Structures are given as structure tokens and as C-alpha cells.
Amino acid sequence: MLNGQKMLFSGMQATGTLTLGNYLGALKNWVTLCDEYECFYSVVDLHSITVRQNPAELRKRARNLLTLYIAAGLDPVKNCIYYQSHVSAHAELAWILNCFTYMGEMQRMTQFKDKAAKHADNINTGLFTYPVLMAADILLFQSDVVPVGVDQVQHLEITRDIAERFNNIYGDVFTIPEAYIGKVGAKIQSLQDPSKKMSKSDENVNASIYLTDDPDTIIRKFKRAVTDSVGCVQYTDEQPGIKNLITIYSACTKKTPEEVVKEFEGKGYGDFKMAVGEAVVSVLKPIQDKQADLLKNKDYVDQIIKTNAEKAGYIANKTLRKVQKKVGFPERVR
Ligand code: ATP
Ligand code: LTN
């Protein structure tokens, strides 16, 4: 608890260009949570280097992501928005937790298996222990809730297992976190293959809507979205392409899937796709404009980066010191 509120932590990697899936599955939900929780949102750059990165590009993307958090509606005064690499407690706690995590547990992680298959030439130990660093992120802030997309639930479970294991040995050190999954948009699928999730690392640019796409590109991508030959707008697993478009439209217009189905009764896919494209443009355009302003306003953003890293560091170090003491590291001489 801080200021009488429960704690919330989440983060995103600054790799690739964010997609509509990232926005609807994660960022959009974050914005609604700041009144209820004390929120910490990190650009998790330590996680990013588990896959080889171009340094200049990573630095640029990290700043783009941090400004995007703000542009999407996270007030940087109410929410602590910061770079993970500016708070060394993340790496320090991750090391300690590594010593409380089993190889077998990490070997079962589906994200590791997927990424190892994708980057067969660079299966580094950082990639292997990635979930432990994520556990450290969450546990440092004694987080009660962690808003994530469904693909991260397995990592949340391992975080809880590690925390419980540690608490069983040393007493109540960590709060046991819960995953928070948004109701609409928890899983947005690829526009070209609705059986796959929309992913920023998809090679097919038409499969994803990027948050940087201009209105014409967005409309074009929706027009090309893979659907089916049924010809009727219905929310059913038998029509995964249309179902995905309904989910997107619902999330952008705040209408329920049932209302959407009713709205497009008797209408063709062409009309529906156009409406989805327009709804997405009306959500993304103001965010893009605000981000462009922020990127120009260097001093303002730098100040946010500095003060928020100090705040995050203060809270994180309190947990870290407690853990260091519990495991038996010598006390610091003041
Ligand atoms: P990659 O495809 O490169 O692995 P990603 O697009 O899955 O990346 P992450 O950085 O792993 O992006 O995810 C950031 C957040 O966005 C996470 O909370 C994740 O659950 C959520 N998210 C990612 N893709 C989707 C999606 N298609 N639908 C809903 N939420 C998503
Ligand atoms: N693994 C997450 C990003 C991430 C995260 C976290 C999310 C790193 N640390 C802590 C929530 C809490 C991902 O790939 N989306």
C-alpha cells in the first residue's frame, strides 16, 4: 500500500513498433486503473536485450514508448512512468530470485520456447531467465495487481510461485500479485491469420495495425483483413476473422459484441471493415498527435524521466533492502 492505495505494476518492451493488440490488450486498460491504484509503468529495457538490439534504435524506441504511455492517457504525475534500466534494484532482485527458481520451471515457459525457436542462433541465459526478471519487477513494488494480456498469465503464475516459495522460507516479504485481464481486447488476433495473435514481430506488415500507421494505411489494412465466405457479421468461433474485427470495433467504440452484430445486421463485410477502420483511426489519431508533441518537448519529458526514476527507485530499494537482509547479506554500515 502507498498513500492508502493498492499497488499496480506493468511494463512493455521497447522492441518493434507497438500494435493495436498492445494498445487494446494492455495500454488502454492501464489508463482506467490509475484512480484505483498506485501505478508503476515501466519501459522494460532490460528485458529487451534478451534479443539482440541495435543500441541507437533501442534508445529511440524506449523514448517513443515512454512518450506513448503518456500520449495514450497515463498522467505522468499520477502514474510513475520510468525506464527499468534507471532502477538497478530490478537487476539486483532478479539475481536473488534466480537462486529461488528451478530450471524445470523456466523450461516450461511457452514464451521461452517460442522465442528460442525464433532466435535459434541466440538462446542466451537472459532469455531463459526472463520470467525471473519479470517477477522481480512485480515483487519489488509489492504489487497487488498486474494488468497484462492473456499471453503473460503464465509468467504471472511463476511470479506467484516464486513469491510464495520465498515467503515460506523467510516470512511475509512479498505481496502475492494477481493478474488483471481487461474484459475486451485481451487478445487481438492477426488480420492476416486470425488463428495467430497480432504481434509486433510479425514479418507481414498487413497482419498488424501499428500505432504509428496513418489513417489511409489503417483503412487499407482492414479492407485486406482475412475473413470468410459466410457473408454475415456474427460473433462466433466459426468466423474467427470477423470475430476479431468485432472485438476490435467493440473495444474502440465501447459497444458490446451483441450491439455490434445488431448494428451490422444485413450489411456486407465491406461496410463493416470500413467502419472498423474508421473507429480505429478515431482512437489512434489523437494519441499520435499528442506523442508527436511530447517528442518535441524534450525538457518536459526529461524531467518526468528523472523524477519518476527517483520515486520508483525509492520504493524498489525498500523491498530490495528487506530481501537482502532476509537472505543474510551483511548490513550496510551507515
Ligand atoms: P512480440 O510479438 O514481439 O513478442 P508483443 O506484441 O506480444 O511482442 P509484448 O511487449 O510482449 O508485445 O506485450 C506488451 C503487452 O501487450 C502485454 O501485456 C501483452 O499481453 C499485450 N499484448 C501483446 N499482443 C497482444 C494482442 N495481440 N492482444 C492483446 N494484448 C496483447
Ligand atoms: N513480459 C512482458 C513485459 C513485462 C512485464 C513485466 C509485464 C516485463 N516485466 C512486469 C508486466 C509486469 C511482455 O512481454 N509483455
Side-chain angles (χ1 to χ4, degrees):
M1 296 280 254
L2 188 68
N3 304 324
Q5 285 189 309
K6 288 190 167 184
M7 307 292 269
L8 178 153
F9 183 94
S10 200
M12 258 190 225
Q13 296 197 60
T15 41
T17 307
L18 252 62
T19 69
L20 187 64
N22 298 127
Y23 176 70
L24 297 178
L27 208 42
K28 185 166 173 277
N29 292 321
W30 295 5
V31 177
T32 61
L33 294 166
C34 71
D35 292 331
E36 211 180 320
Y37 298 97
E38 188 68 34
C39 298
F40 294 81
Y41 292 116
S42 187
V43 171
V44 291
D45 44 3
L46 298 183
H47 281 96
S48 299
I49 64 162
T50 53
V51 172
R52 203 66 75 227
Q53 303 290 336
N54 171 306
E57 194 61 31
L58 178 61
R59 205 169 287 122
K60 187 169 158 215
R61 287 198 162 134
R63 194 162 180 109
N64 282 346
L65 183 55
L66 190 128
T67 49
L68 191 68
Y69 282 3
I70 304 169
L74 293 176
D75 177 344
V77 176
K78 279 202 206 150
N79 301 278
C80 187
I81 295 172
Y82 71 101
Y83 294 126
Q84 185 187 30
S85 61
H86 286 188
V87 176
S88 58
H90 287 271
E92 293 179 75
L93 182 61
W95 171 255
I96 297 173
L97 297 183
N98 263 314
C99 304
F100 292 83
T101 307
Y102 299 111
M103 298 286 285
E105 290 177 307
M106 295 294 98
Q107 263 151 355
R108 285 201 304 273
M109 296 291 114
T110 51
Q111 182 172 303
F112 169 69
K113 287 191 242 174
D114 291 351
K115 293 217 167 166
K118 224 174 194 172
H119 304 277
D121 56 334
N122 182 21
I123 307 176
N124 59 74
T125 51
L127 189 66
F128 188 64
T129 61
Y130 175 114
V132 180
L133 178 58
M134 181 160 160
D137 301 342
I138 295 166
L139 299 178
L140 271 178
F141 293 89
Q142 305 292 354
S143 311
D144 296 282
V145 289
V146 182
V148 280
V150 280
D151 60 317
Q152 293 299 312
V153 168
Q154 198 184 31
H155 289 163
L156 243 293
E157 279 162 6
I158 199 75
T159 299
R160 291 163 59 91
D161 290 347
I162 296 170
E164 277 165 6
R165 184 171 304 147
F166 197 94
N167 284 355
N168 282 337
I169 305 173
Y170 299 106
D172 271 349
V173 177
F174 295 124
T175 302
I176 309 297
E178 302 269 353
Y180 174 100
I181 312 284
K183 285 184 198 69
V184 183
K187 200 159 184 207
I188 302 298
Q189 305 298 99
S190 153
L191 297 185
Q192 290 298 314
D193 176 358
S195 67
K196 277 192 344 199
K197 82 162 187 170
M198 185 182 285
S199 155
K200 49 180 141 71
S201 41
D202 203 313
E203 310 85 60
N204 183 350
V205 293
N206 289 320
S208 306
I209 300 291
Y210 299 107
L211 297 190
T212 48
D213 281 346
D214 61 43
D216 288 347
T217 309
I218 294 173
I219 302 282
R220 183 169 40 79
K221 285 184 180 177
F222 278 110
K223 276 190 185 155
R224 287 192 189 167
V226 169
T227 51
D228 51 64
S229 54
V230 179
C232 189
V233 177
Q234 295 179 116
Y235 193 67
T236 150
D237 289 340
E238 268 84 75
Q239 292 174 249
I242 288 293
K243 186 176 179 193
N244 188 38
L245 295 183
I246 295 177
T247 303
I248 294 173
Y249 190 72
S250 285
C252 292
T253 58
K254 301 199 181 91
K255 291 176 187 165
T256 63
E258 295 74 40
E259 286 168 337
V260 180
V261 169
K262 219 171 195 167
E263 185 178 340
F264 291 93
E265 215 175 82
K267 295 200 180 126
Y269 288 173
D271 289 348
F272 178 51
K273 285 176 167 182
M274 194 66 196
V276 180
E278 281 168 359
V280 170
V281 169
S282 69
V283 167
L284 295 190
K285 185 74 173 56
I287 298 177
Q288 292 171 349
D289 293 346
K290 174 112 195 271
Q291 189 195 23
D293 281 348
L294 287 165
L295 286 170
K296 279 186 231 146
N297 205 339
K298 184 171 184 306
D299 292 349
Y300 170 72
V301 175
D302 283 349
Q303 192 53 40
I304 289 170
I305 290 171
K306 184 166 179 285
T307 47
N308 280 339
E310 282 163 6
K311 179 178 171 190
Y314 177 77
I315 309 277
N317 276 306
K318 276 211 314 209
T319 303
L320 180 67
R321 297 289 170 256
K322 198 167 164 188
V323 170
Q324 288 172 329
K325 197 169 165 191
K326 290 283 185 187
V327 297
F329 293 167
E331 298 247 20
R332 281 154 201 260
V333 180
R334 287 171 196 270

